[in-house]
Amino acid sequence: MLLIGCPWCGPRDETEYHYGGQAHVPHPETPADLDDRQWAEYVFYRDNAKGPFAERWVHSTGCRRWFNVLRDTVTNEVLAAYRLDEPRPELPQAGGNR
Amino acid sequence: MAEPTLDTGANTGANTGADAGEDAGPVAPRTSPLAHLAERMRAATVTGARGVALTEWPFITMADLRVDPASEAADRIEKTLGAPLPRQCGHTTASGPHTVVWLGPDEWLVLSQGEETAVAAELREALGEDPGSVVDVSANRTTLELSGPAARQVLEKGCPLDLHPRAMGPGRAVSTTVGPIAVLLWQVDDAPTYRLFPRSSFADYLARWLIDAMSEYRGPEIP
């Protein structure tokens, strides 16, 4: 069970949240100009990171707000939680060669 | 004899009109989502040192309010309510018949003893043309009151929050889950008395879940 710190409500159990996939995937400026391959890459292709990974979560049974979480996909440790209008925080221990 | 017509609605309309004239009362009394369980909730009451009781408070007026807390509209709404809008998760404010509960950084639930149309209309007038919304959601949720010395233990069987007095106390209200049901959980006093606000369609399940959870306190404590 993950313990995720909602930026508005504080630490709550994972069961109060829903997962929303990779964060920081920008919508194309001019979707009409994309060819099928580029559009498919925007819609379906996501990183499969080993280590810190920025992802979206929604506090569905709490404040119902979306926010971003940095989670280490190796240890499942929640490294940071931040609002959508905040930049991805720098991690002192980011990187390494696990 | 009336001419046959395709519009049967006209006939039935005339009939119901006549019936309503005879009754001359309200069409149908309001039925609360847990009216059918009132007797079972009463029967589940446990008294004594491990006592706990469950009752429904139907038809509390509720209005969902969304507005930017830094805006002038929020100031006007605070003046109308006579209480500041709580700015932090878990906080509530109260004034006269109204209690304001924090739901999100720009969303509140106004619980009131006032008449539902009047409360929403008052708030809507205070909001004016500014961005935001006021919606009467009185029928969205119903209210369950769980009280007694064992009330916290009953809730702790299915609530992931820390309900110990160090973390939760009178006047605090948080959205969370009890069992599998999403509820707004408001602690009213130190008895302790909790009020749970589940969605109406989940209320039946939650009431049965609580009745079941309460049943063990009828017997002596098993060490």
Side-chain angles (χ1 to χ4, degrees), chain A residues 22 25 37 39-47:
Chain A
Q22 183 178 352
V25 179
R37 186 187 176 84
W39 180 250
E41 279 177 8
Y42 162 67
V43 175
F44 301 114
Y45 283 51
R46 294 291 180 266
D47 296 341

Side-chain angles (χ1 to χ4, degrees), chain B residues 30-52:
Chain B
R30 247 174 126 182
T31 309
S32 78
L34 292 177
H36 62 297
L37 286 180
E39 193 47 53
R40 287 192 58 182
M41 287 194 279
R42 221 188 338 268
T45 303
V46 181
T47 50
R50 302 171 84 208
V52 58

Side-chain angles (χ1 to χ4, degrees), chain B residues 8-201:
Chain B
T8 50
N11 280 329
T12 46
N15 287 341
T16 48
D19 289 344
E22 284 162 28
D23 294 340
V27 182
R30 247 174 126 182
T31 309
S32 78
L34 292 177
H36 62 297
L37 286 180
E39 193 47 53
R40 287 192 58 182
M41 287 194 279
R42 221 188 338 268
T45 303
V46 181
T47 50
R50 302 171 84 208
V52 58
L54 181 67
T55 44
E56 187 197 14
W57 287 83
F59 314 134
I60 289 182
T61 297
M62 304 181 202
D64 185 273
L65 165 69
R66 295 201 66 171
V67 67
D68 177 358
S71 65
E72 280 178 30
D75 294 341
R76 288 199 300 273
I77 286 167
E78 289 180 337
K79 222 164 282 168
T80 306
L81 288 171
L85 297 172
R87 303 299 164 99
Q88 252 187 309
C89 177
H91 288 199
T92 60
T93 55
S95 159
H98 309 302
T99 299
V100 190
V101 179
W102 188 96
L103 286 185
D106 61 359
E107 186 171 13
W108 294 270
L109 186 69
V110 180
L111 306 166
S112 179
Q113 303 291 335
E115 207 199 319
E116 56 197 81
T117 46
V119 175
E122 237 176 50
L123 291 173
R124 205 169 288 130
E125 198 186 313
L127 179 67
E129 296 294 305
D130 288 4
S133 78
V134 175
V135 182
D136 172 37
V137 291
S138 304
N140 186 15
R141 296 177 165 99
T142 189
T143 310
L144 276 164
E145 186 170 282
L146 186 73
S147 60
R152 176 153 71 92
Q153 283 163 277
V154 170
L155 283 180
E156 278 169 346
K157 293 183 186 190
C159 180
L161 277 187
D162 185 4
L163 300 177
H164 190 275
R166 72 176 159 244
M168 183 91 176
R172 288 188 65 85
V174 269
S175 304
T176 181
T177 50
V178 172
I181 309 296
V183 298
L184 178 62
L185 179 67
W186 174 25
Q187 184 172 351
V188 184
D189 63 32
D190 267 327
T193 304
Y194 299 94
R195 289 193 188 142
L196 296 88
F197 300 85
R199 302 266 154 83
S200 294
S201 50

Side-chain angles (χ1 to χ4, degrees), chain A residues 12-13 16 61 63-65, chain B residues 66 103 106-107 160 175-176:
Chain A
R12 299 284 183 93
D13 280 359
E16 295 199 0
T61 65
C63 60
R64 303 189 299 156
R65 286 333 183 255
Chain B
R66 295 201 66 171
L103 286 185
D106 61 359
E107 186 171 13
S175 304
T176 181

